[in-house]
Amino acid sequence: GAYLMNFYNGIENIMKRCAREYYKKMPKGDDWHKQLLQQSCLEVSNKAPLFNREIVDGLYQYLSFRHFFIHGYVFKLKKEKMELLIIGVDELWHKIKKQLAKFMSSI
């Protein structure tokens, strides 16, 4: 569980840095984590999006897992769902690295 949470936290740190430094727009409020993820695939102030929709849709599952893990709902987690996240993490990370390279070359 900690591996999956840390995977998402690392990606979220990249999104936070881009939001603050590049977009100059950091979401606020109780659902800022979700807003940040959604913002990462939008064109903000005529600036290129960090991620594409496919990556954001994939990351949403890891954000949901992170919420459950941090807020103590681990007793509700299903082994099968965790296995799917673990199996998918390498492919998603590959797509993220590719998209980050594309983003960096565009700014």
Side-chain angles (χ1 to χ4, degrees):
Y3 171 76
L4 292 171
M5 181 195 69
N6 288 332
F7 170 73
Y8 187 78
N9 282 344
I11 304 304
E12 186 174 75
N13 286 337
I14 294 168
M15 290 186 288
K16 286 191 299 191
R17 173 158 257 163
C18 284
R20 287 187 191 116
E21 303 296 325
Y22 180 67
Y23 299 118
K24 308 290 187 201
K25 184 179 181 201
M26 182 65 189
K28 294 183 168 96
D30 291 341
D31 66 342
W32 73 267
H33 295 276
K34 188 186 286 187
Q35 289 180 47
L36 180 66
L37 181 57
Q38 292 305 316
Q39 176 181 296
S40 73
C41 71
L42 301 174
E43 192 174 305
V44 177
S45 302
N46 295 322
K47 295 185 178 186
L50 178 60
F51 297 131
N52 59 36
R53 173 55 60 190
E54 177 188 4
I55 289 173
V56 168
D57 290 345
L59 283 171
Y60 188 79
Q61 300 172 61
Y62 294 88
L63 170 62
S64 297
F65 177 84
R66 179 200 162 280
H67 173 80
F68 269 73
F69 191 80
I70 287 178
H71 294 286
Y73 300 116
V74 259
F75 64 92
K76 291 184 176 183
L77 292 174
K78 304 277 190 244
K79 178 183 171 187
E80 299 79 23
K81 288 186 179 183
M82 285 182 62
E83 286 175 345
L84 289 174
L85 292 174
I86 291 167
I87 290 167
V89 79
D90 285 337
E91 182 181 347
L92 183 56
W93 175 237
H94 176 73
K95 290 176 183 178
I96 288 169
K97 287 192 301 186
K98 196 173 179 179
Q99 185 69 33
L100 287 173
K102 182 179 173 184
F103 173 77
M104 293 302 290
S105 69
S106 74
I107 60 171

